[in-house]
Amino acid sequence: MKDHTLFSKPFLTSIFLGIGGFLYGYDSGIITPSLALKSFLDYFGQPDAATRGAIVSVYQAGAWFGSASVGITSDRFGRRKAIAFGCIWGVIGAVLMAGAAHVAMLIMGRLLVGFAVGTITGVAPVFGAEIAKTHERARITATNQMMVAWGFFVALWTGVGEGKWNNPNQWRVGFAIQGIPPLLLGLGVLFIGESPRWLCLKGRNEEGMQAFRNYHYDGSNEEWCNAEFSIIQVNIAEERRAQGRLSWADLFKTPAFRKRLFVGSFVWAAAMLSGISFVQYYQTAIYATLQFDQNEQLLVSGLYGSVAPVACLASLFFVDRIGRKNILISSSALLSLCYLIITILAAVYPARPGQPTNVAAQRGLIACIFAVSANYSALLGPMTWIIPPEVFTTELRAKANAIIQVIHYSISLVITQCSPIALAAVGWKYYILFILTNALCTLIFAFAYPETKGKSLEEIDEIFGDVKIVRGNNMKMYNDEENGIEHLEVRDEKA
């Protein structure tokens, strides 16, 4: 069965879960205009490059701890409760940031918001992948990137609005708004169905079947629902038989597990090494080097934020049709080219205080920064949400995704902390780093990545070869009328 309904229940659920992605984008974006507001800088005593880096990067540190907790909370309490747990800290962090009386209070609030984001983004893509049908899984998990883009868009234009409001507390508004998404998500997530695969993993098969039907039954597909859920049940049982109870250390013990972990984590490493965090957080500093004043910096950053939602929306129409590998290769190659052009323009036509600037070169550099956003949002960005949940078995998925998000936020932490210092020290030469990292990622995607498009979560296990896959045509259901029970017979493929 292949229902191509655009607004299926799993898709609508994924949009709701995407509020976590919206929070990620908004929290990432709202600090950008804040660092350009004179009232913010004056209130906190004109923080130097290291302090600005700490204000930005402590968010990544919080996300690191949040994502590290996911393997425990998501596996033990379920996908929904793990998300609700993260949302509590998001609300508290927003309150602290909006009411910040000094830098320490601001940093503590940002740390807690980061913890919330790390928790939510560690669970939501897994949840989305586990409730999706094979043909719509990429579109469903890619909604996280679309919602990140919308969050960033709203944050940057909130910053533009703050800049127009002549008030010494203008910067507090944006920080207060960030408490709304976790409040809505934390309450609402408790009213949606749990992941059927998680329920099966816990041996709660009847509840799992009911949850599966809630997401997929349309009144006419009873046979498909029964067959599909049986396949999920049998394969989870096979995973448990082949792998047993898995600890954190088991993720590193076998070549198959290590390959899964590499495939899942490197796509996030590539995303951070693409330079997108640097551009997002410090674009106003880049515009300042072009001699833009505060209002110009905020306006251009707002226009920058408008690119990503359009690109992400476009990606939903092709992400399930084009191979994951082709998207990854083309994205990294184009990003490397964009940074090459940015580096050349910044080196040949530098903007120096008191001297005439080359307007065409400025526009070209800004156009390339916008192209970086469009590329990442339509191609590489969605892959970071799609691939990691795909490549792990149900038993491994939460633990592995926690490790992947720890790697993601660790790299992002280093880049966001070091970027303002590096930009101040070496200027345009810093962009060379991203030419090289994106070129390296292109090669790794081309020669070391498998293709997962068009495969069910259970069929993807075949790529790694550590679990025997049971398909529908190898199963037979029959009733034992005498005892009133149903049996499932699994035939060996070689028989």
Side-chain angles (χ1 to χ4, degrees), residues 199-415:
L199 290 168
C200 285
L201 185 65
K202 296 301 178 182
R204 295 158 61 177
N205 293 327
E206 289 187 8
E207 292 176 67
M209 181 60 185
Q210 185 58 50
F212 186 86
R213 289 173 62 88
N214 286 342
Y215 281 115
H216 298 295
Y217 182 61
D218 63 6
S220 62
N221 61 348
E222 179 86 26
E223 186 177 341
W224 178 86
C225 285
N226 290 336
E228 194 70 15
F229 185 73
S230 295
I231 292 171
I232 291 172
Q233 266 187 286
V234 171
N235 279 291
I236 289 177
E238 173 61 22
E239 290 172 13
R240 297 290 294 274
R241 186 198 65 77
Q243 299 174 343
R245 286 275 184 185
L246 297 170
S247 67
W248 292 85
D250 289 320
L251 284 165
F252 304 93
K253 285 184 177 178
T254 69
F257 285 1
R258 290 195 294 270
K259 184 176 180 182
R260 290 176 189 271
L261 195 58
F262 166 76
V263 171
S265 60
F266 184 78
V267 67
W268 264 117
M272 295 301 98
L273 293 172
S274 73
I276 192 66
S277 294
F278 162 63
V279 169
Q280 285 178 345
Y281 289 127
Y282 299 112
Q283 56 175 303
T284 52
I286 296 171
Y287 304 146
T289 67
L290 302 179
Q291 307 305 306
F292 287 8
D293 62 24
Q294 173 185 294
N295 288 334
E296 288 173 327
Q297 291 173 36
L298 292 174
L299 178 60
V300 176
S301 68
L303 292 173
Y304 168 91
S306 305
V307 173
V310 176
C312 286
L313 186 61
S315 75
L316 296 183
F317 293 96
F318 64 77
V319 73
D320 268 311
R321 302 181 182 183
I322 302 175
R324 320 281 200 251
K325 191 169 180 175
N326 289 335
I327 290 176
L328 291 169
I329 293 169
S330 58
S331 181
S332 290
L334 289 171
L335 284 168
S336 186
L337 178 61
C338 285
Y339 281 108
L340 176 62
I341 297 171
I342 289 171
T343 303
I344 292 171
L345 290 175
V348 177
Y349 302 105
R352 295 188 176 93
Q355 295 185 18
T357 57
N358 187 305
V359 176
Q362 282 187 332
R363 289 175 178 171
L365 192 149
I366 292 171
C368 284
I369 290 175
F370 280 34
V372 167
S373 174
N375 180 327
Y376 181 86
S377 299
L379 301 174
L380 180 56
M383 291 298 108
T384 62
W385 302 99
I386 293 168
I387 291 175
E390 286 185 334
V391 297
F392 297 102
T393 59
T394 304
E395 174 79 5
L396 282 170
R397 198 166 286 126
K399 291 184 179 70
N401 211 52
I403 292 175
I404 287 168
Q405 292 302 325
V406 165
I407 293 170
H408 156 209
Y409 290 115
S410 296
I411 297 173
S412 185
L413 173 63
V414 172
I415 290 175

